[in-house]
Amino acid sequence: MSDAEQTRQKILDITADEIHHHGFQSTSLSTILNRCGISKGALYYHFSNKLELGYAVFEEVYVPMFLATWQPALSQDDPIEGLCDFFTNMCETMVCSEAVCGCPLNNLCEEMANVDEGFRLRILTMQQKLNGLIVDALSTIEHDLRPNLQLDHVAYFIVASFNGATSLSKSSRNKEIFQYVIDELCGYIRNLKK
Amino acid sequence: MSDAEQTRQKILDITADEIHHHGFQSTSLSTILNRCGISKGALYYHFSNKLELGYAVFEEVYVPMFLATWQPALSQDDPIEGLCDFFTNMCETMVCSEAVCGCPLNNLCEEMANVDEGFRLRILTMQQKLNGLIVDALSTIEHDLRPNLQLDHVAYFIVASFNGATSLSKSSRNKEIFQYVIDELCGYIRNLKK
DNA sequence: CTTGCAACAAACCGAGCGGTTGGTTATTAT
DNA sequence: ATAATAACCAACCGCTCGGTTTGTTGCAAG
């Protein structure tokens, strides 16, 4: 990787971390520059402005990270147990500091969907993609599921509950509540089967 | 009501609206002053700083509004149907602009829980109070519910799903997805019964 | 009548923000 | 050797923000 690509990647990684911790609007360019050890000229050589930097972080960091997180769970032979294992495992491995920061995608949705159309559309695309993945996974075992289920509604409900779980655990600063919600969510998911 | 109380209440109401639409940090004092038609001196006569104004809005506007919204649903003879009616009715009466703004409490939780301890504790208190209300309501019909339910977990799950529903509908800018999630949520709630 | 305080108004301040500008260095092509 | 370009630095700019200060008005008590 060339020096320039390294610099660019470093900016992306550090900015992704800053956005995850403080949100997009509260993320300061000077903080990024300090952490990267570069000057503002360097940043503006690689990105035309703060918004474009945010878009790049979303597309080049968050989206791949997001897919890499959910895909394995949904590719299992039994996506029901795949999801439950995924959620449960997340509860166990998660430390409190992570619980407090929440899901990057959900955070950006809450913060930026009403503020910037570019962010909104990118978030929407990612959400629809995730929903499609869940629907596809559930479709593969449709014969094991209760009849008359509307799989896309179910998928949205799963994601909504998961997002809500991260939201609730922010105020309590521990992962107990997260665990409670996830337990109930797993119960709901397993109840999808006949 | 005296002039001073009127001014104070006007500040609270308009600030509540601004926070609901733009979040606390992005809410500008000068916007509030313009909408109120007052000067900065007037505002700082009634509130010592922006943070205290935010706290006052939370306690004097959001908390009462919040309780007034949820209480009736939970005071029904059958809180299960009370909640379902409450959710369904919210879907029907809600216009898209409201759907986009989300729940004030959840918004503040997402934005401020990690930023300011004063907000975090106030939000936490309100969430625990709501959870207690739901648990109490469900307890009154415990004999009709499935055995071995952990009512506090159930209550958190209901709130989490509801919050997640508002979050999801922000990116799509319509209430369709909200409705899907609420439908599934009502299914889950009704399934709590034997 | 005037003194005093409640209830504001208006101008101002420093800090931090995103963004721009004019250079500087290192590498590569000719 | 020289010209050009990629990659970066440091200083600066205008703007908006929350907050402060000083000044004004109206009413009410003595």
Side-chain angles (χ1 to χ4, degrees), chain B residues 4-160:
Chain B
E5 285 172 33
Q6 263 185 340
T7 301
R8 189 189 140 89
Q9 197 57 47
K10 192 172 187 181
I11 296 174
L12 285 175
D13 291 339
I14 289 183
T15 304
D17 186 61
E18 285 292 320
I19 292 179
H20 190 198
H21 281 79
H22 307 112
F24 176 76
Q25 299 180 96
S26 292
T27 285
S28 159
L29 292 187
S30 44
T31 303
I32 297 173
L33 304 181
N34 283 337
R35 284 190 59 187
C36 287
I38 62 171
S39 72
K40 199 166 273 193
L43 193 149
Y44 273 84
Y45 171 79
H46 291 282
F47 303 95
S48 55
N49 52 44
K50 191 190 179 186
L51 205 53
E52 291 299 327
L53 171 59
Y55 294 164
V57 166
F58 189 91
E59 288 165 359
E60 299 178 40
V61 181
Y62 286 158
V63 167
M65 180 190 302
F66 201 72
L67 290 177
T69 305
W70 284 82
Q71 283 268 23
L74 295 167
S75 311
Q76 303 290 320
D77 285 343
D78 182 355
I80 297 276
E81 287 308 314
L83 277 174
C84 289
D85 289 347
F86 168 58
F87 289 141
T88 307
N89 191 55
M90 181 176 290
C91 280
E92 285 164 3
T93 61
M94 183 171 57
V95 293
C96 282
S97 60
E98 291 171 343
V100 168
C101 283
C103 162
L105 184 66
N106 187 46
N107 290 356
L108 276 177
C109 178
E110 289 282 349
E111 181 191 3
M112 299 303 296
N114 295 339
V115 173
D116 177 75
E117 193 70 1
F119 265 117
R120 201 201 114 222
L121 293 176
R122 282 168 174 83
I123 293 163
L124 182 60
T125 302
M126 186 65 246
Q127 282 179 347
Q128 287 172 340
K129 182 156 192 168
L130 172 62
N131 213 66
L133 287 176
I134 298 178
V135 169
D136 289 345
L138 292 179
S139 297
T140 64
I141 56 160
E142 199 160 15
H143 52 280
D144 291 328
L145 301 180
R146 282 158 36 208
N148 302 325
L149 284 178
Q150 300 214 250
L151 291 187
D152 58 333
H153 298 198
V154 169
Y156 278 126
F157 183 71
I158 293 172
V159 176

Side-chain angles (χ1 to χ4, degrees), chain A residues 62-73:
Chain A
Y62 286 157
V63 167
M65 178 191 302
F66 201 73
L67 291 177
T69 304
W70 284 82
Q71 281 269 22

